[in-house]
Amino acid sequence: MKKQRKEEKRDSKKFPSSAPFPIPITRGAWWSPETIAVVTGANRGIGFEMARQLAAQGLTVILTSRDTSVGLEAAKVLQEGGLNVDVHQLDVLDSSSIQEFCDWIRERYGGIDILVNNAGVNYNLGSDNSVEFAKEVIQTNYYGTKAMIKAMIPLMRPSAAGARIVSVSSRLGRLNGRRNRLRDLTLREQLGDLDDLSEEVIDRTVNTFLQQVEDGTWQSGGWPQTYTDYSMSKLAVNAYTRLMGKILSDRPDGEKIYINCFCPGWVKTAMTGWAGNISAEDGADTGVWLALLPDQAITGKFFGERREISF
């Protein structure tokens, strides 16, 4: 993994406004205590750390968790530290849970300014590459993320700075990485062509993968060679981010929504079996930076270590 990250770093470029974190709260900051940020799956790991860092910048953060009691406990830790954190139950796989959350947001806050899609699962650790839970991985990481984006867009409040959507993704989902890429060149080109990219193309790709998993033919399908189901879920997130960046760019000034995704790296969390080499604090940094960027024109892009990375 270290070798992979070093190889891909050579393909990246330094992105502007990369001052060291934390970003100071100044008169020039576009956010305030009235700025509402939602972080999904924020009861632990990167999600918890992103919620903490955003709240530490003076925002109001809504910490969501599939398990209500666990979410309340996580929020309490932040609240006891003097941070402005609210909490609500949310299961990104449950449409009724999403609707209930939207109704609660509308009634309590009137809308939101930032959405951080962090909720996700991964069942492959070490050299294991089982696809036993591929359907759940795709449903949670891709379809759950997509469902939240669609549900939250109508709740995003107009502002001069623009609303923000940030999704946690992975370099494992890169189309053109040196490792773990799709072997099907035609499919790779299709997913990489923003002019022809569509939600239907992305959905068809992941559904074809899942069908081959069910048929037992996935190993000859040309899919990523390691962390296969997780990689496919994040490839879909990356593609959907690019697509939505294009679609949302047509919104008028004052109603802009900027969407980006990022790779936190190999982070020491429960999802990696605590085998990572990056702390949750460092892993969350790029996501928080993206959520608070003052440069409004940045959208539909993929980042790692505050640098733009090719898809």
Side-chain angles (χ1 to χ4, degrees), residues 72-294:
L72 286 168
E73 185 178 340
K76 184 179 178 181
V77 171
L78 298 178
Q79 291 163 352
E80 289 177 346
L83 300 178
N84 192 7
V85 176
D86 205 344
V87 60
H88 198 278
Q89 191 276 338
L90 176 65
D91 184 345
V92 299
L93 290 180
D94 184 345
S95 59
S96 62
S97 175
I98 293 176
Q99 184 59 56
E100 182 182 345
F101 180 66
C102 289
D103 293 342
W104 178 81
I105 287 285
R106 192 176 289 108
E107 180 179 350
R108 187 172 179 89
Y109 293 102
I112 71 168
D113 304 284
I114 297 170
L115 168 65
V116 176
N117 291 302
N118 169 75
V121 294
N122 172 40
Y123 291 97
N124 287 317
L125 297 174
S127 59
D128 179 33
N129 193 34
S130 168
V131 293
E132 180 182 356
F133 302 102
K135 185 174 182 180
E136 182 183 348
V137 171
I138 296 291
Q139 289 289 340
T140 304
N141 297 357
Y142 169 53
Y143 286 108
T145 293
K146 183 166 72 166
M148 282 302 298
I149 290 172
K150 290 186 174 184
M152 292 291 104
I153 283 176
L155 291 174
M156 292 194 145
R157 302 188 291 198
S159 71
R164 317 295 172 90
I165 300 173
V166 178
S167 298
V168 179
S169 190
S170 173
R171 285 179 170 88
L172 290 171
R174 291 182 68 207
L175 277 174
N176 296 303
R178 289 185 174 87
R179 298 174 57 195
N180 220 41
R181 71 175 70 182
L182 294 175
R183 291 200 298 269
D184 186 331
L185 179 59
T186 301
L187 178 58
R188 212 159 70 224
E189 290 177 345
Q190 186 178 31
L191 288 167
D193 186 348
L194 188 55
D195 290 334
D196 293 330
L197 187 62
S198 67
E199 187 174 343
E200 290 72 25
V201 167
I202 303 169
D203 287 358
R204 184 169 65 245
T205 299
V206 296
N207 289 334
T208 298
F209 166 66
L210 289 176
Q211 185 61 56
Q212 291 189 10
V213 168
E214 188 175 334
D215 295 343
T217 61
W218 67 273
Q219 288 177 311
S220 59
W223 308 110
Q225 295 80 52
T226 58
Y227 294 85
T228 302
D229 52 6
Y230 183 79
S231 298
M232 284 303 300
S233 72
K234 295 305 187 180
L235 182 150
V237 168
N238 289 349
Y240 191 68
T241 298
R242 293 181 70 225
L243 175 64
M244 290 306 296
K246 178 182 178 181
I247 292 172
L248 293 173
S249 66
D250 291 334
R251 294 173 70 95
D253 289 344
E255 298 179 19
K256 294 291 189 183
I257 299 175
Y258 306 103
I259 180 169
N260 295 287
C261 56
F262 77 102
C263 176
W266 192 237
V267 183
K268 295 178 183 177
T269 64
M271 184 178 285
T272 65
W274 307 103
N277 55 16
I278 298 172
S279 68
E281 182 178 4
D282 288 342
D285 173 75
T286 297
V288 174
W289 173 73
L290 282 171
L292 301 182
L293 269 180

Side-chain angles (χ1 to χ4, degrees), residues 25-47:
I25 303 175
T26 67
R27 291 183 180 179
W30 64 265
W31 63 93
S32 72
E34 286 69 48
T35 302
I36 308 299
V38 171
V39 184
T40 68
N43 55 283
R44 67 179 186 179
I46 296 171

